[in-house]
Amino acid sequence: MSAASKRLARAAAYLSLALALSYAESLVNVSSAVPGIKLGLANIAVLMALLTDGLAVACSITVLRVVLVSLLFGNVASLAFGMAGALLSLAVMALLLRCRVFGLVGISMAGGACHNLGQLLAAALLFQNSALLDFLPPLLLVGMAAGLLTGLCCWLITKRLNGGIL
């Protein structure tokens, strides 16, 4: 099998994993006082793709995942908010990965926080309501906690597969 075929197969596996984790997450209601809170489990697949295959593949998986999840389980609003959060999160994680300032868990925590920041900024712009930014502090904390969970999962996976990438 050629290197390109292996890369395509890995990308397809990551996308499938991201979709399966998104579906599993849709079955669990973790939102409490703040609507829309999720664990961000699909970020495990995105972060693994970023680590193994780079930004272009991770971006493709991110965009396809958000579009497909919105079509299957969401609506137009979930597409807009999900895309804003996912792309900001991916951009920050890619930048931090390149800078090598933080470890995998720290990168994932920053990604989780930025995902919520991107969604909240998109909502504030779309609804022209700056009062939505009042949700920023709890959403940043929840995003960091979710990023901690997904980062630990990625760290364990990379450690198990090849002694750790970072």
Side-chain angles (χ1 to χ4, degrees), residues 81-106:
F81 301 145
M83 195 66 74
L87 291 177
L88 180 60
S89 172
L90 179 60
V92 167
M93 289 191 305
L95 179 66
L96 291 176
L97 183 63
R98 185 176 184 124
C99 294
R100 296 203 175 268
V101 174
F102 297 105
L104 191 53
V105 174

Side-chain angles (χ1 to χ4, degrees), residues 50-120:
L50 182 61
L51 291 169
T52 59
D53 293 311
L55 181 57
V57 172
C59 190
S60 298
I61 291 167
T62 296
V63 169
L64 287 170
R65 178 193 60 85
V66 171
V67 168
L68 291 172
V69 166
S70 295
L71 288 172
L72 294 170
F73 315 118
N75 52 42
V76 175
S78 66
L79 175 64
F81 301 145
M83 195 66 74
L87 291 177
L88 180 60
S89 172
L90 179 60
V92 167
M93 289 191 305
L95 179 66
L96 291 176
L97 183 63
R98 185 176 184 124
C99 294
R100 296 203 175 268
V101 174
F102 297 105
L104 191 53
V105 174
I107 291 169
S108 181
M109 290 175 71
C114 287
H115 183 79
N116 287 347
L117 175 63
Q119 287 188 320
L120 197 56

